[in-house]
Amino acid sequence: MACSGCSTGRGCGTLPAGCKNNGSCGTGGCNKLNVFDWLANMELPNGQQENEFVEIRFKNSRKDFFRNVNEIPLKVGDMVAVEASPGHDIGAVSLTGELVNLQLRKKKVNPAKAEIKKVYRKANQKDLDKWQQGIDLEFDTMHKARTLAHGLGLQMKISDVEYQGDKTKAIFYYTADDRVDFRELIKKMADEFKIRIEMRQIGARQEASRLGGIGACGRELCCSTWLTDFRTVSTSAARYQQLSLNPQKLAGQCGKLKCCLNYELDSYMDALKEFPDTSVNLFTQKGKAFHQKTDIFKRTLWYSYADEPGHFIPLTVERAKEIIELNKKNEKPLDLGGIRYEEPEKKHDYQNVVGQDDLTRFDQPKKKKKKKKRKGGGAGQNQGQNKGNNPKNRQQGRNKGRRGGNNKPPKPSNN
């Protein structure tokens, strides 16, 4: 049976995830937003002390930095009890060593000025049991909180609940379009759950990051695996990449434009620098031509004459620039001189003569073989043979066979 933290990114609490290489695993197993510790198996130089800062991971993508003042030997995957306000919390060590200093610089955290909390101890069995009890209560607590919010008519959605390790406090994550007055809601939740309540508003992208899921590409969502900074995505990114402006295809599970639209945008922008301005019309002796579409990969532009808008003429980038330069000199070429595409001849390696390659040959019902009818006289002859060896019977059988088995007597002859 899998651990209860696999779906939430909390870790097992006993062993490191992934390939169990104590932090040097490149995937991290089921943990979210892992950092590859490429210094995990390297020893420190003589005389250098271990870094006092460690990174602790809590539910889903929530991480924080703590100070290891007691110099507890920690490795990635260890469950520890850390300082909270109030009480203590339980989390898993996600990063140790010198890479924590790099993460502090990346997050722009100054250890001298920032108030960094402490690591108390390694979590014992009693701490883990209480922490597990809080995890079991989160699902029912979230649905009860949604019922209370709906009863008060608040325009908000409570998407996730996280209990503190000592079960004295719970963080409720919610999304809302406008400002929400939830003071009455906090009073009712405090009376219902008998704990300290903290409300945190998150955006739609942060909600998808916490809940997770599978994207249209078939892989786990980027926001729940490695993406930490959510940059703004506009529809111009789709226009530059020649994508259809279909909201159903461009929107992710969060309802916003997909973050992956920005991944290859810089490459498209660099490639489009070599293309001419598509808003400029081309003038030839045949008439004016305007831009229809662009294929960045084939470096091809399609133009149409004003009197023939349905006829697309492909041009190379160099040819389009050449015509634009001629138009600037008040010169007009004879025509656009588009690219001629010749369709290759279809060559068959073999010829299907018998029809054995027809896939529908099994669907056709089998034809019933028709029984061949015997020629007339057969019935009479058989009847004559079964009568015995009496000459009269044999003679009658022959006569019946000549008449086709008719029982009528023969007509008398004129002779």
Side-chain angles (χ1 to χ4, degrees), residues 239-252:
R239 292 192 183 97
Y240 283 124
Q241 299 177 56
Q242 311 295 324
L243 299 176
S244 61
L245 300 180
N246 188 352
Q248 295 181 352
K249 293 183 178 181
L250 297 181

Side-chain angles (χ1 to χ4, degrees), residues 273-339:
K273 290 180 180 179
E274 302 178 4
F275 283 71
D277 187 6
T278 56
S279 62
V280 178
N281 296 327
L282 305 183
F283 294 91
T284 63
Q285 296 181 10
K286 192 175 180 180
K288 182 179 73 171
F290 58 92
H291 176 263
Q292 289 279 17
K293 65 176 183 176
T294 303
D295 192 335
I296 300 176
F297 299 103
K298 293 183 179 180
R299 293 175 55 83
T300 307
L301 300 97
W302 275 267
Y303 285 84
S304 296
Y305 287 108
D307 54 350
E308 297 178 356
H311 181 58
F312 287 23
I313 301 175
L315 298 180
T316 60
V317 176
E318 292 75 14
R319 177 59 178 170
K321 288 183 177 180
E322 181 184 353
I323 297 176
I324 292 174
E325 291 298 328
L326 291 175
N327 293 155
K328 290 180 180 179
K329 299 177 183 179
N330 295 327
E331 298 180 5
K332 296 181 180 180
L334 182 62
D335 57 1
L336 293 177
I339 306 172

Side-chain angles (χ1 to χ4, degrees), residues 37-60:
D37 191 357
W38 49 278
L39 296 175
N41 296 327
M42 297 181 65
E43 296 181 359
L44 293 175
N46 294 331
Q48 185 173 352
Q49 296 181 354
E50 189 77 24
N51 187 15
E52 63 173 340
F53 299 104
V54 293
E55 186 185 63
I56 308 296
R57 183 187 66 253
F58 300 95
K59 184 178 180 181
N60 290 322

Side-chain angles (χ1 to χ4, degrees), residues 140-333:
D140 294 335
T141 303
M142 180 183 65
H143 285 277
K144 290 180 181 179
R146 287 181 178 178
T147 305
L148 294 175
H150 181 72
L152 295 174
L154 299 178
Q155 298 297 323
M156 59 185 296
K157 177 188 175 184
I158 299 176
S159 58
D160 197 11
V161 178
E162 180 182 356
Y163 266 84
Q164 197 168 276
D166 54 0
K167 290 178 60 180
T168 60
K169 177 183 173 182
I171 303 174
F172 291 80
Y173 297 91
Y174 73 95
T175 56
D177 296 333
D178 300 324
R179 185 178 178 86
V180 180
D181 185 7
F182 44 75
R183 289 177 293 182
E184 186 66 26
L185 177 64
I186 292 178
K187 293 179 182 179
K188 289 192 175 185
M189 287 195 298
D191 295 337
E192 177 73 22
F193 307 124
K194 308 299 181 183
I195 54 175
R196 188 183 295 269
I197 306 297
E198 180 181 347
M199 305 292 292
R200 287 189 186 180
Q201 185 175 3
I202 57 177
R205 299 184 189 276
Q206 286 79 9
E207 181 185 14
S209 173
R210 296 189 65 85
L211 299 180
I214 304 299
C217 58
R219 303 185 64 180
E220 194 173 354
L221 298 179
C222 298
C223 55
S224 61
T225 51
W226 62 272
L227 190 62
T228 56
D229 54 336
F230 300 103
R231 300 180 181 179
T232 57
V233 186
S234 60
T235 55
S236 60
R239 292 192 183 97
Y240 283 124
Q241 299 177 56
Q242 311 295 324
L243 299 176
S244 61
L245 300 180
N246 188 352
Q248 295 181 352
K249 293 183 178 181
L250 297 181
Q253 294 189 5
C254 58
K256 306 291 184 180
L257 292 176
K258 293 180 180 179
C259 297
C260 56
L261 292 176
N262 285 340
Y263 294 169
E264 299 179 355
L265 180 60
D266 294 338
S267 300
Y268 279 88
M269 296 292 290
D270 294 339
L272 287 173
K273 290 180 180 179
E274 302 178 4
F275 283 71
D277 187 6
T278 56
S279 62
V280 178
N281 296 327
L282 305 183
F283 294 91
T284 63
Q285 296 181 10
K286 192 175 180 180
K288 182 179 73 171
F290 58 92
H291 176 263
Q292 289 279 17
K293 65 176 183 176
T294 303
D295 192 335
I296 300 176
F297 299 103
K298 293 183 179 180
R299 293 175 55 83
T300 307
L301 300 97
W302 275 267
Y303 285 84
S304 296
Y305 287 108
D307 54 350
E308 297 178 356
H311 181 58
F312 287 23
I313 301 175
L315 298 180
T316 60
V317 176
E318 292 75 14
R319 177 59 178 170
K321 288 183 177 180
E322 181 184 353
I323 297 176
I324 292 174
E325 291 298 328
L326 291 175
N327 293 155
K328 290 180 180 179
K329 299 177 183 179
N330 295 327
E331 298 180 5
K332 296 181 180 180

Side-chain angles (χ1 to χ4, degrees), residues 104-116:
L104 287 170
R105 296 174 195 169
K106 182 180 178 181
K107 302 293 183 181
K108 297 180 180 180
V109 178
N110 189 357
K113 297 181 181 180
E115 184 180 354
I116 299 179

